[in-house]
Amino acid sequence: MKIRPYHILVKHEYEAKDIYKWLKEGKGFSELAKKYSQCSSHQNGGDLGDVDPRKLDEDFLEAFNLLKPATYSLPVRSRFGWHIIFKK
């Protein structure tokens, strides 16, 4: 089974908190991903495509699995940095 996560990856917690705040204020996820994400998926608005969940960081996957459709996570730390994760 594959999943389709979207995310914004930044280096610092304060950056993730700022992005989370902007999302709560109504800014678009895709727009913020294109502008701030340090992952190559930023070109696609944070879309990681269809992914085998076994290949994801455990903390990332746990946060993704807790999300309801059309919601995004609080900042989540992984070995790659800080993420805001979105489930379409």
Side-chain angles (χ1 to χ4, degrees), residues 3 9-10 17 26 29 35 38-39 41 44 46 51 56 61 70 73 75 77 85 87:
I3 60 173
L9 173 65
V10 292
K17 286 181 175 181
F29 189 91
K35 188 169 184 178
Q38 297 174 356
C39 178
S41 69
N44 300 321
V51 178
L56 293 173
L61 181 59
S73 71
R77 188 173 189 187
I85 304 164
K87 183 186 272 188

Side-chain angles (χ1 to χ4, degrees), residues 53 55-62 77-80 83:
K55 296 188 180 211
L56 293 173
D57 183 272
E58 190 176 308
D59 294 321
F60 184 103
L61 181 59
E62 183 179 335
R77 188 173 189 187
S78 78
R79 60 190 167 131
F80 301 105
H83 307 263

Side-chain angles (χ1 to χ4, degrees), residues 8 10 12-25 27 32 36 75 84:
I8 299 170
V10 292
H12 303 285
E13 182 180 17
Y14 70 86
E15 294 170 298
K17 286 181 175 181
D18 284 346
I19 291 167
Y20 181 79
K21 181 183 77 156
W22 296 329
L23 286 166
K24 297 283 277 182
E25 292 172 354
K27 298 234 180 194
L32 291 171
Y36 296 105
I84 304 290

Side-chain angles (χ1 to χ4, degrees), residues 56-76:
L56 293 173
D57 183 272
E58 190 176 308
D59 294 321
F60 184 103
L61 181 59
E62 183 179 335
F64 178 82
N65 286 334
L66 291 172
L67 292 174
K68 294 179 181 175
T71 62
Y72 47 85
S73 71
L74 291 166
V76 175

